[in-house]
Amino acid sequence: MSMLLKRPFLLSSSAVLMLSTPAFAESPMHVDDAGTLEAGGMKLEATWRKDAQQRGVEGVFGFSPLPSLEVGVAVAQDRDHATHPASRLSAVGLGFKWVPIQNKTGWSLGASLDFGRTRLTLGDTQERSTERESAFNALATWRAQDGHAVHLNLGSSRLKASGVGQTVGTWGMGYEHPLASSLTLTAEVFGQEHSRPMRALGLRYELAPGLKLSGAVGRGDGHPLTQLGMAWEF
């Protein structure tokens, strides 16, 4: 998912995180792991988030048609209260993650490719603008036998609006620390060129096999971040 409207037409900081990363990253993290669903597996995710004065919800459906390949579809609706009345954002995204090297312990390596479109309606006017975005991420994960994991992301995102394109580098580092058999602490730092990094701490609780609840708080680039989510893998 994620990304904030300091300029009404350039949404890249929020759009990348909102659509590209969360389509695959396991909530509440924005930094993605080098891993996929098992072949034939599916997942549903729902997330509520507040980033500065922007609030919204996102839904994700993911499935694995082939071993080592995962496909994700995301839809999101946000409101930016930096304007009065609030501006509305509607977004859709499509992502592909391929992880040919997957290990339960040690290193796993892969990559993801994502496409997104965000439509902005300013206040109560009929003025609309549309952004299109594509993002590429190289993924690496190291897992220990005791459940600790480190995730590394490095990539780029290209945003196109009004016929003008802009490409920025993106990066992220994440850590997972098991507190109990069903409870995990998450920590991450992530960002892109020309902006200060976001830092976040979260918890993930497995309520039942395949059903997880999560939440995170963070801060970066001069604003706070709050996120609550639910995920079901089946």
Side-chain angles (χ1 to χ4, degrees):
M1 30 208 329
S2 325
M3 249 180 159
L4 219 212
L5 298 184
K6 296 183 179 178
R7 292 171 291 179
F9 199 65
L10 288 181
L11 315 179
S12 59
S13 59
S14 59
V16 173
L17 299 182
M18 180 172 66
L19 289 178
S20 300
T21 307
F24 293 118
E26 186 174 3
S27 296
M29 301 188 74
H30 293 82
V31 177
D32 200 359
D33 66 293
T36 61
L37 295 168
E38 293 185 2
M42 300 182 185
K43 70 177 181 180
L44 291 171
E45 294 188 14
T47 303
W48 174 88
R49 62 182 173 275
K50 179 181 178 183
D51 198 335
Q53 297 188 63
Q54 185 172 325
R55 303 172 188 176
V57 294
E58 178 184 13
V60 174
F61 171 67
F63 64 98
S64 177
L66 298 169
S68 304
L69 177 65
E70 186 175 329
V71 181
V73 179
V75 294
Q77 292 285 335
D78 280 37
R79 284 185 175 270
D80 179 33
H81 295 271
T83 63
H84 184 76
S87 297
R88 301 186 304 276
L89 297 94
S90 300
V92 294
L94 174 66
F96 304 88
K97 182 162 70 166
W98 180 56
V99 186
I101 302 175
Q102 297 192 47
N103 296 297
K104 293 183 178 179
T105 60
W107 286 102
S108 296
L109 303 172
S112 65
L113 181 63
D114 305 279
F115 304 92
R117 185 191 70 184
T118 301
R119 179 169 293 175
L120 169 68
T121 303
L122 293 174
D124 58 357
T125 71
Q126 296 302 312
E127 183 179 351
R128 293 183 176 181
S129 57
T130 300
E131 291 189 347
R132 289 177 171 81
E133 185 166 12
S134 58
F136 172 81
N137 254 322
L139 312 173
T141 291
W142 183 83
R143 296 187 182 276
Q145 290 184 347
D146 58 6
H148 295 257
V150 176
H151 310 299
L152 304 174
N153 294 180
L154 184 63
S156 65
S157 175
R158 180 165 180 80
L159 179 73
K160 188 173 183 180
S162 296
V164 178
Q166 179 185 14
T167 302
V168 296
T170 60
W171 59 274
M173 295 181 290
Y175 173 67
E176 296 187 45
H177 177 80
L179 300 176
S181 59
S182 58
L183 184 64
T184 300
L185 172 70
T186 65
E188 59 183 339
V189 55
F190 55 93
Q192 64 180 39
E193 288 182 282
H194 315 306
S195 67
R196 287 177 288 176
M198 292 288 297
R199 298 175 176 85
L201 287 174
L203 289 172
R204 182 189 304 125
Y205 177 68
E206 189 167 15
L207 186 63
L211 180 61
K212 301 176 183 179
L213 305 177
S214 62
V217 294
R219 187 170 184 85
D221 207 19
H223 57 83
L225 169 70
T226 305
Q227 178 175 307
L228 297 173
M230 178 179 66
W232 178 35
E233 296 183 5
F234 55 97

